[in-house]
Amino acid sequence: MNGEPATTGRQFVIEREHFDQLFELLARKGYRVVGPRIRDGAIVYDQVNSAADLPAGWTEEQEGGKYRLKRREDEALFGYAVGPHSWKKFLHPPNVRLWQAMRKEGSLEVQEEKQEVPKTAFIGARSCELHAIAVQDRVFMNGPYLDTSYRLRRDSVFIVAVNCGCAGGTCFCVSMNTGPKATSGFDLVLTEALEEGRHYFVAESGTETGAAVLAELSQRPAEDREIRSAEEVVARTAGQMGRTMDVSDIKGLLYANYEHPRWDNVAARCLTCGNCTSVCPTCFCTTVEDVTDLSGQKAERWQKWDSCFTMDFSYIHGGSVRSTPKARYRQWMTHKLATWIDQFGTSGCVGCGRCITWCPVAIDITEEVRAIRESDFRRTKRDRHGDTGTDSG
Amino acid sequence: MPSAHPMVPLPCSVRRIQRETHDTFSVELSPGHEFPFVAGQFNMLYWFGVGEVAISISGDPTKPGRLTHTIRSVGSVTQGLQKLKPGDVLGVRGPFGKGWPVETAAGGDLMFVAGGVGLAPLRPAIYYVLANRKRYGRVVLLYGARTPADILYKQELERWRARFDLQVHVTVDHGTGGWQGRVGVVTSLISKPDFDPGSTTVMICGPEVMMRFTEAELEKRELPPQNIYISVERNMKCALGLCGHCQFGPTFICKDGPVFPYESLRRFLAIREV
Amino acid sequence: METLERIVAEHPFAKGLKDRDVKLMVGCASNVRFDAGETIFREGEEAKQFYLLRQGRVALEMFAAPRGPITIMTLEDGEVLGWSWLFPPYRWKFDARALELTRAIALDAECLRNKCEQDHDLGYELLKRFALMIEQRLQATRFQLLNVYA
């Protein structure tokens, strides 16, 4: 079946026993292949050499502040939702050296870092994650200044997406209109199907590069029955969402509720640990650290992930602008769901649920939105005024 | 020519250091070539082994061969910069941000209101307006400092005061050391000058509280709020709109500002800890 | 009287006052001048006047040993000096000193208080102006307290 033209938009079937070819092929084409594997009791993204490295037969239980691996009854390779990692760590790494400087007798020589970026293939990106990548694309590549290092990484990526076969307990991509079916932003997309003893993937290419890869794999055109099965997998997942969020006029809602008492309530629980910002696939904030060597002649600047939950983040002369946990949580959530829309023309939330799962005190962004919406200041303001005198109308 | 890559500092040697007050000094750099900028823009200044800090350009935009910054030593980097001497080399990234609306203000009256070290980011706009004086109506500078010893650019203020085409009013919060000038807050100066509220552009720079009080006083004089511009300070790291630090509501101070129409920030200025 | 009336009427304090009210004020008014350094009044003295400043600059001071005189604020042409005449026991709370040659219209306190008691329309107009002035000075004092340039 090799050599059959695999054009964009047509669907093909790859049997499970041929799936290893994908890894071999990508490696042969010079890609570093990264994908899901189990480490330290979680499914993380790291180098994978073959399908054997994938978390076959594992899924996870996710709830607010809770994540636990669990055996599946089958040997699905992608039978989980999302773990603590996202692809952000490859496209927007936690530590990047920006430049090195040398001091020589009163002069200063600054050398821009030449970024070494390997061609990388992502195996198993979910729809919410593709949306997250698209969000970061807007942040780093659509403003007045381009993040050249991000651009370089972004241009070196081959993405194999997987339509979700199950939803996690904290997932709400359906509310955010970001899943569970991948519709764009991939080179190849797979739907994993397990039925009546069969285990196969329905595959479709999204780019010419993807089509070329697909053409080199052992595949055949999918039958209607198989396409229907794949569609059922996604439909089933869409019906399993652990969370929902009403996003109607969410920008207006949050802009009008900066002084809502709910912020005090959530601040009393929030530890300002910044876990949510680390696991969030769209959180992009960084700081820089300048380090000098012992001789004092050589310095380096490193760009590092930062979090709006730290005091330093908003520090100006005299102290932090956001000195209270309330202000910092409000900044994070209002940015994610409201000001982001004004900044980048899209929400900063893709409904992956990681911030809920990985919050040590189980703060739930969907619950916080619900609480604010239930007593929206715009609606309740009138009720807070007491009796009025007869002459004041 | 700004550096090839906006994240990489361009080495510039220090030509001159001018002490302005007990805690404030100006650094004149030689960029080695023309360094065009717009009044109100800022640079990121890096000193080897000390760190990087955002500083407004305080020099004359009509003389782009010189690059001047006025620095108040309050943080760890600015305190380190106090030790600078001629011949030292600083790394410069910039210029960044949107400046004062000196072009759109032409044709009408103009009022500058400065508080403390806030006079520094306004000075390039004053230079620009004086260099193009015919294009403006009445021009007024209102300046408030903490004490007489905190007044920036004293000699320059005297020279400006002597001009017939610029009204200068200076006040201090605390009159000390035989000060014979005005004692009172900068907002108390707003009732002084004659201007035509409808055609006056006001540019304010100082602490946020001062800018809020100033706006309230201007409202009493029936100046339309859409004529008011302010310059806002926030933590800056990248200056490119990529690092997220300088967010203020939906804006990034570094790329959307630091100069903003007051109206566009009004609602956020009223909220604590935005 | 003609010129005094015009001077009072043109002072910002009188902006919007009816001619009738200006005339009533002028009945209590007199022209005064103070040389640079001259004391206008002292803390504790009876507040027999207030002043519409026409020219010059006046410092409101408080003497606090051992620091000496501390200038609370300065007032200039177009501004009003003194409101202690309005409230019992009618005593000045600060010293006032001309920093340069200062010209002003002095308004006799007892004269004006009596007119205000008899003519509440005039009293209301004056009180509105003093209330606004007190509000502005209070705001300025609060702003000063913030020490925003520190």
Side-chain angles (χ1 to χ4, degrees), chain A residues 53-361:
Chain A
D53 288 336
L54 303 184
W58 288 96
T59 189
E60 80 276 84
E61 263 177 30
Q62 298 200 44
E63 255 314 317
K66 189 175 154 196
Y67 177 98
R68 185 175 302 151
L69 288 183
K70 208 174 73 175
R71 278 307 303 188
R72 290 177 62 95
E73 286 168 5
D74 57 29
E75 287 299 307
L77 301 180
F78 299 98
Y80 57 91
V82 290
H85 285 185
S86 69
W87 308 100
K88 146 174 122 171
K89 70 172 193 163
F90 301 108
L91 294 170
H92 176 50
N95 293 293
V96 176
R97 187 162 63 192
L98 297 176
W99 47 256
Q100 301 181 65
M102 296 288 288
R103 179 160 64 176
K104 281 182 203 145
E105 288 142 27
S107 81
L108 180 68
E109 236 171 70
V110 188
Q111 198 150 45
E112 186 186 339
E113 186 75 7
K114 293 273 168 285
Q115 305 286 348
E116 299 287 332
V117 176
K119 279 169 69 179
T120 304
F122 295 170
I123 306 289
R126 305 311 177 100
S127 179
C128 61
E129 298 181 315
L130 300 176
H131 280 87
I133 291 169
V135 167
Q136 288 210 327
D137 285 353
R138 290 191 187 216
V139 173
F140 293 127
M141 305 200 298
N142 267 10
Y145 294 98
L146 175 76
D147 185 327
T148 48
S149 129
Y150 178 86
R151 174 64 178 271
L152 217 55
R153 291 182 167 81
R154 188 68 181 84
D155 287 346
S156 316
V157 161
F158 182 88
I159 296 177
V160 180
V162 169
N163 287 323
C164 287
C166 66
T170 56
C171 285
F172 56 103
C173 63
V174 168
S175 300
M176 303 312 290
N177 202 17
T178 54
K181 184 176 168 60
T183 53
S184 65
F186 51 80
D187 295 287
L188 271 183
V189 61
L190 309 172
T191 308
E192 185 173 28
L194 293 112
E195 53 187 15
E196 298 152 15
R198 275 191 71 203
H199 189 175
Y200 62 96
F201 297 91
V202 174
E204 193 179 336
S205 59
T207 61
E208 289 302 317
T209 327
V213 167
L214 190 49
E216 289 186 53
L217 298 173
S218 300
Q219 34 70 5
R220 59 168 168 77
E223 292 167 18
D224 286 350
R225 182 177 48 83
E226 290 161 333
I227 293 171
R228 264 201 313 280
S229 289
E231 279 163 3
E232 277 162 24
V233 166
V234 179
R236 201 167 52 236
T237 306
Q240 291 173 350
M241 291 288 124
R243 294 289 194 279
T244 58
M245 186 194 278
D246 176 1
V247 293
S248 54
D249 186 31
I250 187 129
K251 192 178 98 178
L253 176 75
L254 294 177
Y255 274 28
N257 285 281
Y258 268 90
E259 310 290 4
H260 197 284
R262 182 67 183 191
W263 301 117
D264 290 307
N265 176 303
V266 67
R269 290 171 280 138
C270 177
L271 308 176
T272 66
C273 66
N275 267 14
C276 49
T277 58
S278 308
V279 295
C280 177
T282 68
C283 269
F284 61 85
C285 291
T286 53
T287 186
V288 287
E289 266 178 39
D290 290 343
V291 292
T292 319
D293 73 353
L294 285 175
S295 73
Q297 299 308 303
K298 200 176 149 232
E300 297 182 342
R301 172 162 302 166
W302 286 81
Q303 174 185 287
K304 302 190 161 197
W305 281 1
D306 201 0
S307 169
C308 54
F309 282 94
T310 70
M311 288 282 270
D312 269 356
F313 189 84
S314 63
Y315 185 85
I316 52 174
H317 144 62
S320 291
V321 171
R322 298 181 206 105
S323 62
T324 61
K326 167 186 165 178
R328 280 174 268 151
Y329 186 84
R330 184 179 66 182
Q331 163 62 21
W332 178 74
M333 190 174 117
T334 305
H335 183 214
K336 190 71 38 190
L337 297 171
T339 55
W340 205 298
I341 297 170
D342 273 340
Q343 293 170 349
F344 303 110
T346 170
S347 173
C349 177
V350 296
C352 71
R354 287 182 178 90
C355 58
I356 307 171
T357 299
W358 298 94
C359 175
V361 293

Side-chain angles (χ1 to χ4, degrees), chain B residues 230-243:
Chain B
I230 61 174
S231 180
V232 182
E233 185 194 1
R234 280 293 181 273
N235 190 346
M236 303 263 193
K237 290 289 182 195
C238 75
L240 310 174
L242 299 174
C243 80

